[in-house]
């Protein structure tokens, strides 16, 4: 039988009627999951001229605080109109109630609403030639001649340039699993992987007006971050303004912890007890990259499915898009050569670029988030202007600052002093 795995591909610009193979719609690449990772991977593959499908089940807004750094806005050309707020400072709140303000000197953190943001990304991928499929991935099966068959839960609408079709099976040379935390694609294609550590995060979206705390303009450009054991025993709580709405949430790895009560307390402490509740929702956040992202044949993972969320901060949108861009590059090499080795290179490249920051943040979380005594000291360290500058620089621009060695040494010494209790909090 002729192998389809390395079959030549038509350019996206010459997409004719929907191609089929053994009765199933056929694509070079099928991306499962239309969040930031999936939409980015689909965009890159479609731009490279490959017949690409993007499958999204729809019907649910991804629970998310929506904070994105300038590096993401710039690298992924996010239009300013998608930013619901531009944040110019963070307020860290210690267990004692002590407040440390961390102003951002140059720039701002953007806040996006995920319903609008994700749809913008999916639409951009479709405009570049990706075919959108509204449906739920169910199973991955071996296809014909080395391809993969993707089985959907029910006949699903394929919006191809030649009109709508319905299909329950799709065949592809390559599958990208971008279906989020607890990925079904990862479970089926890479079944022997150990589950990665994760927190469960829960937030409530409330109307920004109606709060009894401060005038709205005082909060519109400021994030509040609560490092208090009563709000989270091992993560943090947040109040993120999004213009007309505000996300108030917290997370923990502890099973059975009362996240709803913690958010109720957080709302009361921030003056949002009586604000109108718009949505209540939660989801897991994986906090460690999976050991393998590819199955050695033709399936590869990106975003939360690959576990790429920064420890300590839970920042996942940038890393989802960045990992997807790298996975798309590796996929293009795979589609051009048929060599499965190309897919393996994606994780290695991501870890070279971001592994160090993940390691530092992992250490930070395991050292400072363990008790209120340590949290108090962690917030005290954040008073230091050099700490503030380094923190913002690594978050905003995704690079570890080359600050003066003297500043690094002083910060390290301060950390040790606080950790051992030599320095007062
Ligand atoms: C409460 C909370 C707050 C957060 N706050 C922030 C924050 O402020 N900033 C930040 O950077 N990160 C934040 N994160 C993390 C961030 O949301 C994720 O890391 C990011 O969304 C990962 O993107 P993704 O595309 O990999 O996965 P997702 O965004 O989860 O997208 C996966 C997509 O796949 C679809 N899908 C799943 N299964 C199937 C299936 N079987 N068939 C078809 N489609 C399917 C889903 O509908 C979804 O659209 C937060 C997470 C949570 C839970």
């Amino acid at each position: 039988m002729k192998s389809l795995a390395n079959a030549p591909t038509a350019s996206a610009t010459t997409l004719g009627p929907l191609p089929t193979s053994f009765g199933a719609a056929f694509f070079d690449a099928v991306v499962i999951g239309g969040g930031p990772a999936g939409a980015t991977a689909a965009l890159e593959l479609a731009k490279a001229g490959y017949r690409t499908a993007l499958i999204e089940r729809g019907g649910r807004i991804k629970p998310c605080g929506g904070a994105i750094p300038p590096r993401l806005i710039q690298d992924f050309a996010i239009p300013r109109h998608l930013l619901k707020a531009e944040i110019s400072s963070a307020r860290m709140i210690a267990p004692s109630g002590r407040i440390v303000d961390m102003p951002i000197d140059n720039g701002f953190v953007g806040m996006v609403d995920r319903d609008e943001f994700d749809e913008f990304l999916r639409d951009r991928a479709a405009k570049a030639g990706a075919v959108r499929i509204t449906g739920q991935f169910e199973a991955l099966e071996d296809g014909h001649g080395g391809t993969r068959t993707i089985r959907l839960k029910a006949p699903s609408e394929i919006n191809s340039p030649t009109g709508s079709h319905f299909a329950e099976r799709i065949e592809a040379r390559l599958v990208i699993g971008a279906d989020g935390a607890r990925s079904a694609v990862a479970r089926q294609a890479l079944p022997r992987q150990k589950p990665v550590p994760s927190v469960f995060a829960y937030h409530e979206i409330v109307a920004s007006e109606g709060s009894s705390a401060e005038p709205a303009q005082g909060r519109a450009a400021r994030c509040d971050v609560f490092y208090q054991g009563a709000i989270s025993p091992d993560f943090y709580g947040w109040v993120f303004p999004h213009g007309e709405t505000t996300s108030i949430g917290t997370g923990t790895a502890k099973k059975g912890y009362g996240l709803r009560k913690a958010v109720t307390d957080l709302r009361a402490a921030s003056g949002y007890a009586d604000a109108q509740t718009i949505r209540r929702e939660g989801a897991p956040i994986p906090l460690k990259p999976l050991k393998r992202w590819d199955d050695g044949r033709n399936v590869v993972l990106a975003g939360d499915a690959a576990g790429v969320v920064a420890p300590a901060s839970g920042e996942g949108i940038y890393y989802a898009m960045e990992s997807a861009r790298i996975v798309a590059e590796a996929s293009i090499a795979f589609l051009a050569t048929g060599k499965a080795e190309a897919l393996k290179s994606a994780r290695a490249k991501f870890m070279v670029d971001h592994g160090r920051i993940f390691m530092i943040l992992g250490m930070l979380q395991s050292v400072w988030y363990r008790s209120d005594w340590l949290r108090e000291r962690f917030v005290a360290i954040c008073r230091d202007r050099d700490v503030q500058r380094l923190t913002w620089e690594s978050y905003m621009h995704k690079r570890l600052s080359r600050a003066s060695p003297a500043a690094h040494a002083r910060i390290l010494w301060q950390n040790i002093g606080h950790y051992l209790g030599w320095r007062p909090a």
Side-chain angles (χ1 to χ4, degrees), residues 337-353:
T337 63
K339 292 200 170 113
E341 275 297 299
L343 297 179
K344 209 178 194 157
S345 68
R347 184 185 187 278
K349 163 104 178 69
F350 182 89
M351 294 312 280
V352 166
D353 294 349

Side-chain angles (χ1 to χ4, degrees), residues 40 63 73 124 134 149 184 223 236 269 274 287 338 345 363 373 414:
T40 303
I73 296 168
R124 184 161 71 177
T134 307
T149 300
C223 285
Y236 64 85
D274 302 326
L287 292 178
S345 68
M363 275 162 33
W373 191 85
Q414 227 190 78

Side-chain angles (χ1 to χ4, degrees), residues 202-204 231 248 250 256-267 277 279-282:
Y202 167 78
H203 75 159
E204 295 182 2
I231 296 298
I248 305 176
T250 185
Y257 185 80
L259 287 171
R260 277 182 181 245
K261 172 166 185 324
V263 170
T264 303
D265 295 346
L266 203 46
R267 285 181 62 162
T277 304
R279 292 198 312 273
R280 294 189 166 90
E281 54 198 19

Side-chain angles (χ1 to χ4, degrees), residues 94-125:
S96 64
R98 176 218 301 262
I99 287 171
V100 171
D101 281 313
M102 292 184 58
I104 302 174
D105 289 335
N106 300 306
F108 59 85
V109 175
M111 289 290 169
V112 292
D113 285 350
R114 289 292 300 270
D115 47 353
E116 215 183 316
F117 181 72
D118 290 16
E119 181 52 29
F120 166 82
L121 298 176
R122 288 189 287 265
D123 183 56
R124 184 161 71 177

Side-chain angles (χ1 to χ4, degrees), residues 113-185:
D113 285 350
R114 289 292 300 270
D115 47 353
E116 215 183 316
F117 181 72
D118 290 16
E119 181 52 29
F120 166 82
L121 298 176
R122 288 189 287 265
D123 183 56
R124 184 161 71 177
K127 285 189 174 124
V131 169
R132 287 181 66 165
I133 300 179
T134 307
Q136 184 165 345
F137 162 77
E138 187 161 70
L140 206 52
E141 292 161 359
D142 285 342
H144 300 90
T147 62
R148 286 295 175 96
T149 300
I150 295 105
R151 193 152 43 77
L152 300 168
K153 200 160 180 197
S156 303
E157 191 171 5
I158 304 181
N159 294 302
S160 88
T162 52
S164 271
H165 312 246
F166 279 84
E168 212 164 342
R169 280 168 50 244
I170 297 156
E171 198 136 333
R173 297 166 63 199
L174 166 80
V175 176
I176 297 180
D179 50 341
R182 297 184 183 154
S183 154
V185 177

